[in-house]
Amino acid sequence: MPQESSHPGGKRPGPHRVAVIVDEGTNPFEVGVATELFGLPRPELGLPGPLYEVTVCAPTPEVRLNHGFFTLTGVAGLEAADEADTLVVPGRPDNVVPRGEAVLDAVRRTHARGARVMSLCTGSFALAEAGLLDGRRATTHWLWADTFRQLHPRVLLEPDVLFTDDGDILTAAGSAAALDLGLHIWRTDHGAEIANAVSRRLVFAAHRDGGQRQFVERPVPATPDESLGPLLAWAQERLADPLTVAGLASRAAVSPATLHRRFRSQLGTTPLTWLTGERVTLARRLIERGEERLDVVAARSGLGTAANLRARLRRETGLSPSAYRRRFGRGGGEPVST
């Protein structure tokens, strides 16, 4: 995996630099999510060095976070944002109070020079205040959606998704959805294999229900219990087989209707959607590991035909199999236009 970061004017060696910008009242949970996602050493990946490095920056060296639960001291100045390849903007609860101009200027400068900018939860308010979201897709916490529309009517708000990816600007709907967006970044930058390893370390689903659109079906999804665990493990080892919902129900010794209810209550999805998602994930792993024959990938992943594989992969990633291989396959990593 290339150890290079995108940077205006070319590539520079070293890990991809992530700056997390905090301000008075910032939510500490989202700061923790960003540092957990991108700042921890990950020896389990078996790579020669870190893929990301994180710097927390602020307008002042000491910042009092939300409700005064934490105070950060000794943080970097906002000039750290000028060196970042990705800028993370966490949320804060007082969204109707404008951000400081120094913070907004740092956000504008970072975006203007071509870096990636992502907001977590209500951090989208700061991006909108900075003028980055007019005419672009974005999301925010469902509780603040109406307020966001009133303050920023020119933004194409999508309130019922977990996150949006609009190229150089990405937004997460809530604090937990910050994990979904972070894993999406890992997948985009380094492929499904590494993203899955990171998700296992986090003990968090690598890809929650909804496919590319990431629709939220309830504000707080139910936590899966262990009752479906054996069935899921059994199916994951047999994805190439002609599995059906009726067959899964028979294996679980329940009716198809009961199986649907269990999937909905425990995983927030349907058996067929879950099965298709697992097959697409396996297909991505096979392509990343070097398998070039689409008919073989389709057969081994249970997607059946190369045509179905192409359609499912494009729906999931926006890429054709050949483009996905160039970007994430062995020896890949170069930019791809699709």
Side-chain angles (χ1 to χ4, degrees), residues 26 29 46 53 58 91 93 96 99 114 136 154 169-170 189 215 228 257 266 268 281 328-329:
T26 291
F29 180 85
E53 64 179 25
V96 296
R99 266 64 174 175
R136 302 191 64 163
R154 299 178 63 185
I169 296 180
L170 304 93
D189 289 355
F215 282 110
L228 282 176
Q266 297 175 26
T281 296
F328 297 121

Side-chain angles (χ1 to χ4, degrees), residues 32-318:
V33 167
T35 55
E36 174 83 15
L37 279 165
F38 302 116
L40 293 186
R42 300 198 179 275
E44 69 274 10
L45 297 181
L47 300 174
L51 297 177
Y52 301 95
E53 64 179 25
V54 173
T55 301
V56 178
C57 62
T60 57
E62 183 172 306
V63 183
R64 183 176 181 269
L65 300 186
N66 184 16
H67 296 306
F69 289 130
F70 300 97
T71 297
L72 295 182
T73 60
V75 297
L78 293 179
E79 64 274 6
D82 297 324
E83 296 297 321
D85 303 300
T86 294
L87 180 65
V88 181
V89 184
R92 68 181 195 188
D94 52 346
N95 297 297
V96 296
V97 178
R99 266 64 174 175
E101 197 58 32
V103 170
L104 297 181
D105 281 344
V107 173
R108 294 186 191 106
R109 289 196 312 270
T110 302
H111 179 255
R113 63 177 173 78
R116 179 168 59 193
V117 178
M118 57 186 286
S119 66
L120 308 181
C121 194
T122 57
S124 51
F125 279 78
L127 302 193
E129 289 169 31
L132 271 58
L133 296 183
D134 286 354
R136 302 191 64 163
R137 298 170 54 241
T139 192
T140 195
H141 194 287
W142 60 270
L143 190 63
W144 287 92
D146 290 341
T147 301
F148 189 96
R149 285 194 185 96
Q150 293 169 9
L151 293 175
H152 308 291
R154 299 178 63 185
V155 179
L156 305 179
L157 186 68
E158 300 182 9
D160 55 352
V161 300
L162 289 176
F163 63 80
T164 63
D165 181 345
D166 204 33
D168 58 339
I169 296 180
L170 304 93
T171 60
S175 297
L179 287 166
D180 294 287
L181 179 55
L183 290 171
H184 171 74
I185 294 291
W186 274 96
R187 250 190 330 268
T188 300
D189 289 355
H190 304 292
E193 188 83 8
I194 286 181
N196 287 337
V198 174
S199 73
R200 288 193 295 271
R201 172 82 174 267
L202 292 169
V203 196
F204 189 80
H207 188 82
R208 283 202 276 174
D209 181 39
Q212 191 172 358
R213 295 179 300 171
Q214 295 291 316
F215 282 110
V216 178
E217 297 191 351
R218 56 184 61 82
V220 181
T223 302
D225 63 26
E226 296 180 355
S227 64
L228 282 176
L231 177 65
L232 302 184
W234 179 86
Q236 286 170 329
E237 294 178 357
R238 296 165 176 82
L239 294 175
D241 295 348
L243 301 176
T244 64
V245 174
L248 292 175
S250 176
R251 176 73 186 181
V254 297
S255 69
T258 297
L259 187 69
H260 269 88
R261 286 196 296 272
R262 289 186 180 179
F263 266 79
R264 281 291 185 189
S265 66
Q266 297 175 26
L267 299 179
T269 187
T270 66
L272 184 59
T273 299
W274 176 85
L275 185 59
T276 300
E278 291 297 309
R279 284 172 164 161
V280 172
T281 296
L282 177 55
R284 291 166 68 167
R285 289 183 180 178
L286 293 171
I287 293 172
E288 291 170 10
R289 291 170 179 172
E291 180 55 68
E292 297 185 357
R293 297 164 295 175
L294 294 189
D295 56 340
V296 173
V297 174
R300 290 180 59 187
S301 64
L303 292 174
T305 66
N308 189 41
L309 168 62
R310 289 189 188 94
R312 295 291 181 180
L313 191 65
R314 186 172 288 279
R315 183 179 303 173
E316 173 78 17
T317 68

